[in-house]
Amino acid sequence: PFWLKPCLPRARKARRERAPVGFRPQTPRCAMWRPDAGPCVAQVEDWGEHPDDVEYLRQLKAMPKRIMKRRELVIKNVDLEKAVKKQGKVSFSLAVWGLSEYSKSSGLGDDAASIVHVFYESKDERKVLNAFSTAGLDLEQSEAVPVDPASSLQHEQEIMYSKECLLIQDDYVYEEGPPLSTAELKKRFGM
């Protein structure tokens, strides 16, 4: 095969001498590569310049965005499950970040806890507070903060654009505050 032939000038010369009239010799493999990729790489337009991107942004701006309030709690996962059961009956969304067993507010088994953001519309505030109080959680202890419609947080944008209740749970585990001392860890884990 031609790709196994050496890239030597003498080999090319010998091939030319034996070639029939009108025959064009193949270029050796070593001359085939070049430093730039050439036309084989697709030219991609920057985000927002392609007509499909412009259409997507136009549709996104036309979609209604809900005006939301947010409250933050650190609660046990057992209590969180009770609140999640109320989610279909009462209109609210949750964003949950699990805490490590080494966090001050968390632990092992039933003592495991999470940081929870509760999102709701102003018109549903009383219903949401009552739903959490029947689940044994005092949502009124945390301050209600309005959610910025231009928020850069992905989960807040998803919740504002969604028409139904969402439960967004992070896959990672987080540690709250400064680490516990060795004595506190020994006491917690019974060492």
Side-chain angles (χ1 to χ4, degrees):
F2 75 92
W3 61 85
L4 295 178
K5 292 181 183 174
C7 295
L8 301 173
R10 135 177 75 153
R12 276 189 260 139
K13 183 179 178 190
R15 212 177 328 136
R16 276 192 214 120
E17 290 172 0
R18 283 181 272 149
V21 178
F23 176 77
R24 188 171 154 232
Q26 294 181 343
T27 329
R29 182 168 170 78
C30 60
M32 169 171 148
W33 299 103
R34 62 182 190 205
D36 62 329
C40 64
V41 177
Q43 300 299 319
V44 180
E45 295 181 36
D46 290 334
W47 167 252
E49 294 178 4
H50 192 272
D52 293 341
D53 298 340
V54 174
E55 176 65 18
Y56 172 75
L57 290 173
R58 188 189 65 72
Q59 287 178 355
L60 195 62
K61 287 179 182 174
M63 287 176 64
K65 193 185 276 193
R66 298 188 298 169
I67 306 301
M68 309 290 285
K69 286 186 178 181
R70 178 188 74 224
R71 292 182 188 249
E72 182 177 319
L73 291 170
V74 177
I75 57 176
K76 303 286 182 201
N77 291 347
V78 176
D79 296 332
L80 177 62
E81 290 173 11
K82 294 176 190 174
V84 170
K85 289 178 184 174
K86 307 265 183 192
Q87 199 172 18
K89 301 167 192 143
V90 180
S91 180
F92 64 91
S93 294
L94 299 172
V96 181
W97 295 271
L99 290 174
S100 159
E101 60 268 12
Y102 302 107
S103 297
K104 292 186 185 285
S105 302
S106 188
L108 295 170
D110 288 344
D111 292 331
S114 297
I115 297 173
V116 179
H117 283 187
V118 181
F119 295 89
Y120 56 89
E121 292 182 83
S122 296
K123 65 179 182 171
D124 298 325
E125 185 167 19
R126 185 54 34 206
K127 293 177 189 175
V128 172
L129 293 174
N130 289 339
F132 273 79
S133 64
T134 57
L137 299 167
D138 186 17
L139 190 59
E140 290 185 65
Q141 72 180 2
S142 61
E143 180 185 351
V145 179
V147 179
D148 181 15
S151 172
S152 63
L153 300 173
Q154 180 67 30
H155 69 278
E156 289 184 352
Q157 289 296 326
E158 286 178 24
I159 289 171
M160 284 188 283
Y161 277 118
S162 175
K163 293 179 181 176
E164 59 268 343
C165 302
L166 297 178
L167 171 62
I168 300 173
Q169 191 155 12
D170 198 343
D171 294 332
Y172 296 105
V173 177
Y174 297 90
E175 191 166 336
E176 173 192 36
L180 297 174
S181 67
T182 308
E184 290 172 320
L185 287 173
K186 285 182 179 180
K187 181 181 175 188
R188 177 177 285 184
F189 298 118
M191 301 168 98

